[in-house]
Amino acid sequence: MPKKAKLAGKEEEAVPCKQAKVEAGSSPSTFNFANPSSLFESLISPIKTETFFKEFWEQKPLLIQRDDPILAAYYQSLFRLTDLKSLCNQGIYYGRDVNVCRCINGKKKVLNKDGKAHFLQLRKDFDQKRATIQFHQPQRFKDELWRIQEKLECYFGSLVGSNVYITPAGAQGLPPHYDDVEVFILQLEGEKHWRLYPPTVVLAREYSVEAETRIGKPTHEFTLKPGDLLYFPRGTIHQADTPPGLAHSTHVTISTYQNNSWGDFLLDTISGLVFDTLKEDVKLRTGIPRRLLMQVEPTTVATRRLSGFLRVLADRLEGTQELLSSDMKKDFVMHRLPPYHVEGTELLMPGGKLPKLDSTVRLQFRDHIILTVGPDQDPSDEAQEKMVYLYHSLKNRRETHMMGNEETEIHGLRFPLSHVDALKQIWSSEAISVKDLQLSTDEDKESLVLSLWTECLLQVM
């Protein structure tokens, strides 16, 4: 990707991050969107993916400095200060879409007005008050960021958000702080001076501001220029300012892996596991001792019983190949970006031949589909039988991506649990004959593939 990589911060006293070195012209200058893996490889090029996850991911910062005018121009095209004018004309609002802020004496001062944001007012605060303009989730408006983040969501299997920060020369928008996300910084316009400090909370689970008096000297100090990339793990304390001069700085922060830890996954998995085990193990259905809930501290007997039940759950989990219910899966597919496509092209109309019993079919949009199980959500079914759910993001609204309180809808299909093996067959096969599906009747086989085809999830070969 870059023509060459420079050593950063030689004039600085702080130790520079790991530097990437590459020979001129050894790789393309723009991202490779062939598949999610190739996109990520081109994002961190020339660092190899294996090296990145072995040495840097969740461990330490990585700085990749480049001297590639073509790549710098591409980065600049992702978001410019001048883009704010057209975005304001589309209707953006303080708080929801944009924040205006300054760092004063180590504290963040918010300068937002009420209601709709107007470009002339933003520009006035930017020029006269030396305020930083923070634009939330620009992938809702900028197609190329949608394209990048949609592929990264497929790559990580986790939501990927972004914010743009535009800071005038000689100014700083935010005080030293750490985040609860893995962060990739792409420098788009101008230059930004960065200082990184060791975490006080390793792999932090929440955002926190840190006082300058507590964080000591930076472990890394450098200046990003257009085309440069910086990665650091959640919990890394950081602050950044635009050097004095004529030019402003614009960078985009792409972030992922919020609440996506083993602890979160355990919390998500264990509730369904307990629910299933309750049906089969009478010991789990026996009542707790009288007055247990009134005790100040748990009794030795109660603690021993809980430990025993946890071992039973662990044994059951280790021995199962069943699909487990997962709210994390559902939350991810419900809130992620839809597949990137050119505006005006048809994505959601089934095409080609109807699938028949003698058809060969293949799953499409596999990276946008999840399979999970759960109780029947039909309120008329008092028995609450377990069903298999296939959720997808094809109909998700790009406009609400990562916007928190915006209403979202889950899209997908539900099937009897007897269909789970056939769905796994379709999932794991490059192509499969409908008549080979593991269902008891030909009618069930045709009905299953027709449902998937109607939802635009199946292609007839």
Side-chain angles (χ1 to χ4, degrees):
M1 183 186 295
K3 290 186 176 178
K4 62 179 180 178
K6 296 180 178 178
L7 285 175
K10 268 203 165 182
E11 71 282 8
E12 315 274 10
E13 292 185 1
V15 180
C17 299
K18 169 73 177 182
Q19 299 294 303
K21 297 182 179 180
V22 63
E23 296 301 319
S26 65
S27 57
S29 292
T30 52
F31 294 157
N32 181 352
F33 289 95
N35 55 63
S37 294
S38 65
L39 182 278
F40 186 73
E41 288 168 6
S42 59
L43 175 68
I44 64 168
S45 172
I47 296 295
K48 299 298 183 186
T49 303
E50 309 85 73
T51 302
F52 175 78
F53 284 104
K54 183 179 179 180
E55 298 183 15
F56 299 99
W57 176 255
E58 296 189 326
Q59 298 169 66
K60 61 184 179 182
L62 168 66
L63 170 64
I64 303 177
Q65 295 191 299
R66 297 152 169 154
D67 185 10
D68 185 339
I70 298 176
L71 181 62
Y74 172 70
Y75 269 35
Q76 185 180 30
S77 73
L78 297 177
F79 201 105
R80 300 180 176 90
L81 171 61
T82 53
D83 290 336
L84 284 174
K85 187 171 185 179
S86 62
L87 290 169
C88 286
N89 291 338
Q90 294 181 49
I92 61 173
Y93 291 82
Y94 286 105
R96 185 191 73 180
D97 302 303
V98 66
N99 275 336
V100 179
C101 59
R102 279 195 67 190
C103 178
I104 301 176
N105 298 323
K107 295 185 177 180
K108 176 182 176 181
K109 183 176 182 180
V110 179
L111 305 173
N112 287 354
K113 306 295 187 291
D114 292 327
K116 197 172 181 179
H118 298 279
F119 178 70
L120 291 179
Q121 182 64 55
L122 288 175
R123 192 66 204 242
K124 181 179 178 181
D125 290 338
F126 183 80
D127 292 331
Q128 296 181 10
K129 298 182 179 179
R130 321 306 297 153
T132 289
I133 299 170
Q134 178 188 12
F135 195 92
H136 302 310
Q137 310 305 334
Q139 70 278 7
R140 296 175 294 142
F141 302 93
K142 302 291 287 183
D143 287 352
E144 196 68 5
L145 284 172
W146 171 22
R147 190 182 182 198
I148 292 169
Q149 289 174 234
E150 181 259 321
K151 276 285 190 287
L152 289 176
E153 286 186 333
C154 293
Y155 183 76
F156 285 110
S158 176
L159 295 176
V160 175
S162 68
N163 285 317
V164 164
Y165 297 86
I166 309 173
T167 303
Q172 180 170 336
L174 299 174
H177 66 280
Y178 60 79
D179 298 298
D180 58 348
V181 285
E182 301 296 304
V183 171
F184 296 86
I185 307 287
L186 282 63
Q187 185 66 26
L188 310 183
E189 295 183 305
E191 299 182 1
K192 202 70 175 276
H193 170 241
W194 286 81
R195 285 168 285 172
L196 308 183
Y197 307 81
T200 52
V201 180
V202 177
L203 300 180
R205 288 182 53 78
E206 53 191 30
Y207 168 94
S208 180
V209 174
E210 290 283 7
E212 193 113 31
T213 54
R214 289 190 58 209
I215 58 179
K217 292 184 178 181
T219 54
H220 307 84
E221 188 167 3
F222 47 84
T223 298
L224 292 183
K225 298 180 180 181
D228 292 348
L229 180 138
L230 168 66
Y231 159 80
F232 52 81
R234 54 196 188 276
T236 303
I237 301 169
H238 57 281
Q239 61 177 323
D241 61 275
T242 304
L246 298 177
H248 66 272
S249 165
T250 304
H251 76 263
V252 61
T253 296
I254 296 177
S255 57
T256 190
Y257 260 62
Q258 185 179 49
N259 299 331
N260 212 47
S261 67
W262 277 112
D264 296 301
F265 190 60
L266 181 61
L267 285 170
D268 184 53
T269 302
I270 204 163
S271 60
L273 194 61
V274 171
F275 181 80
D276 290 344
T277 310
L278 270 169
K279 292 181 177 181
E280 301 174 12
D281 191 336
V282 69
K283 292 179 181 178
L284 271 173
R285 300 201 299 272
T286 59
I288 61 177
R290 289 181 300 104
R291 300 176 62 84
L292 178 63
L293 301 181
M294 300 167 67
Q295 302 296 322
V296 176
E297 296 178 348
T299 65
T300 303
V301 171
T303 302
R304 190 178 299 124
R305 289 294 296 275
L306 282 175
S307 298
F309 288 139
L310 287 173
R311 293 188 190 95
V312 169
L313 293 175
D315 291 342
R316 180 186 175 100
L317 183 62
E318 200 160 323
T320 186
Q321 292 185 337
E322 296 178 9
L323 272 179
L324 297 171
S325 62
S326 173
D327 287 335
M328 283 179 71
K329 280 186 173 184
K330 185 176 177 181
D331 181 76
F332 169 52
V333 78
M334 182 166 62
H335 292 100
R336 64 175 299 189
L337 283 163
Y340 173 80
H341 60 281
V342 178
E343 294 291 340
T345 59
E346 196 57 69
L347 181 68
L348 299 176
M349 288 293 290
K353 297 180 293 184
L354 278 168
K356 303 288 186 181
L357 188 63
D358 60 352
S359 300
T360 298
V361 297
R362 63 180 290 272
L363 200 63
Q364 57 183 5
F365 300 110
R366 186 189 308 271
D367 283 343
H368 284 265
I369 301 168
I370 63 107
L371 279 176
T372 187
V373 295
D376 191 351
Q377 296 167 6
D378 185 350
S380 64
D381 184 3
E382 295 182 3
Q384 287 282 291
E385 290 296 323
K386 189 180 287 189
M387 305 286 286
V388 57
Y389 291 90
L390 184 149
Y391 296 121
H392 65 81
S393 55
L394 271 61
K395 299 176 184 177
N396 286 8
R397 294 177 57 223
R398 168 193 179 190
E399 296 78 13
T400 61
H401 184 243
M402 300 296 290
M403 292 306 290
N405 294 329
E406 298 279 348
E407 287 190 13
T408 52
E409 183 181 351
I410 188 76
H411 304 285
L413 302 165
R414 66 173 189 162
F415 301 96
L417 196 59
S418 58
H419 285 47
V420 68
D421 289 335
L423 286 164
K424 286 181 178 179
Q425 281 180 281
I426 296 172
W427 181 277
S428 59
S429 304
E430 281 300 315
I432 189 168
S433 173
V434 175
K435 63 177 179 288
D436 291 336
L437 293 176
Q438 294 176 21
L439 287 168
S440 57
T441 69
D442 291 345
E443 183 181 1
D444 283 345
K445 296 174 184 179
E446 286 193 312
S447 177
L448 171 61
V449 295
L450 183 59
S451 296
L452 296 173
W453 179 85
T454 305
E455 203 75 2
C456 302
L457 303 175
L458 208 66
Q459 179 183 3
V460 180
M461 305 298 287

